[in-house]
Amino acid sequence: MQIALLGIDLGKNSCSVAGIDAAGQVLLRRRLHRDSIVKLAAKFPGCIVAMEACCGAHHLGRVLRKQGHAVRLMSPEYVRPYVKAQKNDDRDAEAIAEAATRPTMRFVELKTEEQLDLQSLHRARDRLVGERTALINQLRAILLERGITVPQGRKKLESVLPQVIESSGDLLTDRIRRLLKEMWQDLRDLSERISSFDDEFTAFSRDDASCQRLESIPGIGSLNATAFVAAIDQAQAFARGRDLAAWLGLVPRQMTTGGRPKLLGITKRGNGYLRRMLIHGARAAMPHLARTQTATGSWLRRLIARAHPNVVVVALAAKMARIIWAVLQKRVTFEHTAAAL
């Protein structure tokens, strides 16, 4: 069989494979265990292997690439329109194969093992941050139910909580005081684990040239730099900076009809974690940048005068996304340009 392209619908154990020739005719339909995909692909000479970008796809893609195949990963939302009639695994595999032949299809770059490791660390840290936030909110609620308020901010809570537990007198029963001490210890443990992740990201960023270049951008530290390197590498999947901003969901959503354009709020598509981190970085950098006599500072001051601060932060985050693309693509550090007189 002259198989030109294999479309694989990945499952946890059972996977479906559809093989098509150069004319698009389906020559092979097979349902097999996930471990047997590599054995099946080895029977064919180097061809295109298409999969949805899902859990395990990057690992399998690296294995198939070593066999000489050209691996194409696609977002599942781009494959869905090619599913014919009723949905099942065999039709999904055929749809994946057909979608991979489209000349305008957008593909996902294969991630290296190092990139996946970094992403796993970021996801683990994000989970711990969520647990710490939930614990802090519960601590505040328990204290407020007993008429005790603490200042806003995590650092302030951590500094005053031991004193509040010991000096609250009759406001706290012995059982609740023991509970608060246990929760206080849990909070300290979570903060220490999060700090260990931060130290690991700082150490990695110190030895990585791409991270060092990204950290020259205001609002980008080791946390943001490692997250972007893990997600997009050298940004080779994006033709221009606006494409990266659009992938992060930082561009306006369009409702254009009859030739009359209408722009709404940002799309919030793509990687929500990167978008959130970039917006936090923009919010931290905005006060300083707005005071500088640079092109960015002049642009920010004009925008602040006519827009809500949250809108300005998102606009700055979108500009930072474009700068990130330029820094990674051109392999240069960021330098401020003077404001035009």
Side-chain angles (χ1 to χ4, degrees):
M1 291 185 293
Q2 297 297 319
I3 298 294
L5 191 150
L6 286 175
I8 304 175
D9 180 48
L10 293 175
K12 184 177 181 181
N13 294 310
S14 177
C15 302
S16 293
V17 178
I20 64 176
D21 60 12
Q25 295 295 320
V26 179
L27 303 180
L28 171 71
R29 284 190 177 93
R30 191 77 58 83
R31 187 169 296 180
L32 65 167
H33 195 272
R34 193 183 187 103
D35 297 336
S36 302
I37 292 177
V38 178
K39 298 177 183 178
L40 176 66
K43 298 178 181 179
F44 302 103
C47 62
I48 298 173
V49 179
M51 298 177 287
E52 291 178 331
C54 58
C55 187
H58 290 278
H59 168 74
L60 183 58
R62 291 196 302 269
V63 175
L64 294 174
R65 178 176 284 180
K66 290 179 180 178
Q67 289 185 343
H69 300 294
V71 179
R72 295 181 179 178
L73 301 184
M74 298 166 290
S75 173
E77 66 176 327
Y78 295 151
V79 175
R80 195 174 300 116
Y82 295 93
V83 178
K84 300 180 181 67
Q86 301 297 321
K87 180 188 182 304
N88 57 49
D89 293 342
D90 293 335
R91 287 201 175 105
D92 284 347
E94 185 179 336
I96 291 170
E98 183 176 347
T101 64
R102 299 299 92 195
T104 58
M105 181 56 61
R106 299 174 182 174
F107 299 106
V108 178
E109 290 289 331
L110 270 180
K111 288 182 172 58
T112 64
E113 191 171 355
E114 186 179 56
Q115 285 180 280
L116 290 177
D117 288 348
L118 266 180
Q119 278 198 330
S120 298
L121 293 177
H122 272 278
R123 288 168 180 167
R125 180 190 180 277
D126 194 41
R127 174 181 58 81
L128 293 178
V129 170
E131 292 178 5
R132 183 175 65 180
T133 301
L135 181 59
I136 289 174
N137 290 338
Q138 192 173 48
L139 274 168
R140 290 183 180 278
I142 291 174
L143 292 173
L144 191 59
E145 286 288 350
R146 286 147 184 86
I148 303 172
T149 59
V150 293
Q152 290 185 352
R154 176 178 60 85
K155 291 292 185 181
K156 293 180 179 179
L157 173 67
E158 291 178 342
S159 63
V160 304
L161 186 58
Q163 181 180 357
V164 168
I165 294 174
E166 296 298 333
S167 61
S168 295
D170 295 337
L171 293 176
L172 299 176
T173 62
D174 292 339
R175 182 63 189 95
I176 293 301
R177 188 172 279 108
R178 291 199 307 272
L179 174 63
L180 290 175
K181 288 181 179 178
E182 293 171 359
M183 296 174 67
W184 162 239
Q185 183 60 46
D186 291 342
L187 180 60
R188 293 178 59 186
D189 293 341
L190 285 172
S191 295
E192 289 177 1
R193 293 179 64 188
I194 293 171
S195 296
S196 68
F197 278 113
D198 293 342
D199 294 341
E200 195 168 354
F201 292 138
T202 301
F204 179 88
S205 179
R206 192 181 299 118
D207 299 330
D208 187 82
S210 296
C211 290
Q212 288 295 306
R213 287 191 284 267
L214 287 178
E215 288 188 30
S216 65
I217 305 172
I220 301 294
S222 59
L223 196 61
N224 276 347
T226 53
F228 271 93
V229 168
I232 64 175
D233 194 22
Q234 299 298 321
Q236 61 269 28
F238 305 97
R240 52 183 179 167
R242 189 189 182 283
D243 292 343
L244 176 57
W247 179 70
L248 292 172
L250 291 170
V251 299
R253 187 160 52 92
Q254 295 188 34
M255 288 290 289
T256 300
T257 182
R260 292 178 294 182
K262 182 179 181 182
L263 299 181
L264 306 176
I266 60 173
T267 64
K268 294 186 179 180
R269 300 181 66 184
N271 195 315
Y273 177 74
L274 288 181
R275 181 174 62 251
R276 184 173 76 246
M277 298 297 290
L278 196 59
I279 288 177
H280 286 332
R283 193 180 301 277
M286 189 176 71
H288 168 71
L289 286 175
R291 294 192 298 268
T292 60
Q293 298 303 316
T294 62
T296 303
S298 177
W299 169 77
L300 272 176
R301 287 190 292 273
R302 293 195 302 270
L303 196 56
I304 290 172
R306 60 185 177 87
H308 190 277
N310 288 341
V311 175
V312 180
V313 167
V314 174
L316 179 58
K319 180 180 284 290
M320 288 169 60
R322 297 172 185 237
I323 296 173
I324 288 172
W325 178 87
V327 166
L328 290 175
Q329 281 279 296
K330 299 178 182 179
R331 290 175 168 80
V332 296
T333 58
F334 173 74
E335 295 182 2
H336 286 288
T337 56
L341 300 177

